[in-house]
């Protein structure tokens, strides 16, 4: 009986080691912040057809990534009258877009308090 118990414990340890190695491998394969940022801008532009101008916030979350991207919604002359919008963009840990929403819209030449 003691022999069987020992084999079971060794087996559990081997499975734990394999699981730890797999998790480390998956972590090593995750894209870095710059790759995620570029992917977010590209995917948002593709989905909306609008030009991503800049990223105003960027953070890693438990679910993946959360960004706020400034987008040119309507070009006007003069440029200071163009309409921009801030989009909240959510990505999974691998940098795939999982959702987005517009959180505000404003003229380029105006600054306003951004309340959340």
């Amino acid at each position: 009986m003691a022999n069987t118990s020992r084999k079971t414990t060794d087996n559990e340890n081997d499975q734990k080691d394999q699981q730890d190695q797999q998790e480390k491998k998956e972590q090593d394969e995750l894209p870095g912040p710059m790759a995620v940022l570029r992917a977010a801008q590209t995917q948002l532009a593709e989905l909306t057809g609008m030009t991503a101008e800049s990223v105003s916030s960027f953070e890693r979350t438990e679910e993946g990534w959360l960004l706020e991207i400034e987008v040119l919604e309507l070009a006007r002359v003069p440029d200071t009258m163009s309409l921009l919008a801030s989009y909240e963009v959510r990505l999974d840990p691998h940098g795939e877009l999982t959702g987005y929403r517009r959180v505000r819209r404003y003229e380029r030449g105006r600054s306003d308090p951004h309340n959340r």
Side-chain angles (χ1 to χ4, degrees):
M1 283 272 177
N3 216 4
T4 305
S5 176
R6 172 94 173 139
K7 285 182 182 177
T8 303
T9 303
D10 288 345
N11 218 7
E12 288 172 355
N13 287 339
D14 288 345
Q15 289 175 348
K16 175 88 171 105
D17 289 345
Q18 288 175 352
Q19 186 178 14
D20 289 346
Q21 288 174 354
Q22 181 65 28
E23 287 174 8
K24 183 172 177 9
K25 183 179 176 184
E26 287 174 6
Q27 278 287 36
D28 291 344
E29 292 174 358
L30 293 177
M34 290 307 295
V36 169
L37 190 139
R38 286 187 203 102
Q41 287 179 307
T42 301
Q43 291 174 76
L44 183 64
E46 233 176 271
L47 286 169
T48 63
M50 295 180 278
T51 305
E53 295 232 332
S54 64
V55 175
S56 55
S57 80
F58 183 77
E59 68 180 283
R60 189 184 303 249
T61 66
E62 289 181 13
E63 295 83 28
W65 300 90
L66 180 64
L67 293 82
E68 192 164 309
I69 299 178
E70 307 304 313
V71 171
L72 176 63
E73 284 203 336
L74 181 62
R76 291 188 177 157
V77 177
D79 191 45
T80 55
M81 296 303 292
S82 293
L83 287 179
L84 299 175
S86 294
Y87 281 80
E88 179 183 275
V89 179
R90 292 178 307 281
L91 296 100
D92 69 13
H94 298 282
E96 293 297 317
L97 195 139
T98 60
Y100 70 91
R101 68 184 181 99
R102 183 172 64 194
V103 292
R104 73 181 180 135
R105 195 173 192 203
Y106 58 97
E107 290 178 339
R108 184 186 299 271
R110 296 213 176 159
S111 64
D112 61 342
H114 182 114
N115 298 325
R116 287 192 127 193

